[in-house]
Amino acid sequence: MAENPVRFGMIGCANIARKVARAIDLAPNSILYAISSRSIEKANNFAATNGLPEAVKIYGSYDQLLDDPCVDAVYMPLPTSLHVHWAVLAACKKKHLLLEKPTALDVAELDQILEACESNGVQFMDGSMWLHHPRTAKMKDLLSNFGQLNFIHSQSTLSATSEFLERNIRMKPDLDALGALGDLAWYCIGAILWAKDYQLPSTVIALPDVTRNLAGVILSCTASLHWDQLDRTVATIHCSFVSHTSMDLNIFASKGSLHVKDFIIPYQEHSASFDFTLDAKFVDLLIGWNVKPEDVGVASQLPQEALMVQELARLVEGIRKSEFRPDVKWPEISRKTQLVMDAVKKSIDLGCKPVNL
């Protein structure tokens, strides 16, 4: 444990908060200092259920936690519709911010959050854990040898239970109006932008296979992303709450291809893998290939969510010591992901017409 660990507070006790509470405990430079919920009963129940140490402060309102001067950073797993209010307030209270994805209902709301963080000198980061896994850096190194990226496909699907489809906040337009687009496509869009070094597409087009619940929330959708004539990359995303579980990322380039089956949550916590092929050709008589896909395994001492917390805490510590200013990389990544997600939604709302960025 670091001598002066970054003290995290949690605004909200959603299910994902259990995972991040554990991650804060595992990271060597952070501690869980306080939690808060809309009532003291819910906060106490979360603490008891998850075996939190007695030293963790428990608050029955979000305001009480934000008013605690000992809280350095907050993790916020609230419904998306509540993000802009509480995230801006947290930034104004000088709290560094780890915000669950999707970051906002649209880029206008996200801009309010980012402006509050920038003006108050606090670090912003969204909860895309997979970006912090060492496998992600290994894949990026290999992609530099692949030449021109031609086609990328990413999908995130799950088979939701009837209870989820009836009661989960992602099904309620007043809480998480983006549904599967916000919850799942965020990862798909982020993975494609990551592969493209965060170069925005020129055009986004939703496909006419959109499925909604009776409240109008998106349960499933598909979209294509297109880059301009000089680049000519095409990408597709698919997300669904009503399909078998998948977390695929497939990248095809002029000299090679790369495939990942579990890019969002690795099959195993401390190791992850992917396969790639370089300079593949058919042998004589077209009876086989000259190479087989090469499997690459990448070990990780800490789970990716703990690495995410560790990185944010490292940045907070540097800012606290006036060694550097907040890293603009993370808000830029979030904003570009939000822009493309907004474009997909706009295309859906327009009856699947092209939307130019």
Side-chain angles (χ1 to χ4, degrees), residues 273-286:
S273 64
F274 63 95
D275 69 73
F276 73 97
T277 307
L278 271 175
D279 298 319
K281 298 178 178 62
F282 299 126
V283 299
D284 192 29
L285 300 180
L286 306 181

Side-chain angles (χ1 to χ4, degrees), residues 81-93:
S81 61
L82 302 180
H83 282 189
V84 65
H85 173 80
W86 290 106
V88 168
L89 188 57
C92 291
K93 297 280 187 176

Side-chain angles (χ1 to χ4, degrees), residues 121-169:
V122 297
Q123 182 65 53
F124 174 92
M125 183 183 288
D126 78 51
S128 298
M129 302 170 186
W130 75 276
L131 287 171
H132 302 269
H133 198 288
R135 173 176 63 177
T136 305
K138 181 67 174 177
M139 292 191 297
K140 177 61 78 173
D141 288 341
L142 277 173
L143 283 178
S144 63
N145 302 315
F146 279 30
Q148 172 67 42
L149 298 189
N150 304 125
F151 179 71
I152 310 168
H153 174 71
S154 182
Q155 67 184 51
S156 178
T157 63
L158 60 88
S159 181
T161 64
S162 57
E163 182 180 4
F164 180 98
L165 294 173
E166 291 172 6
R167 298 185 179 182
N168 193 274
I169 63 168

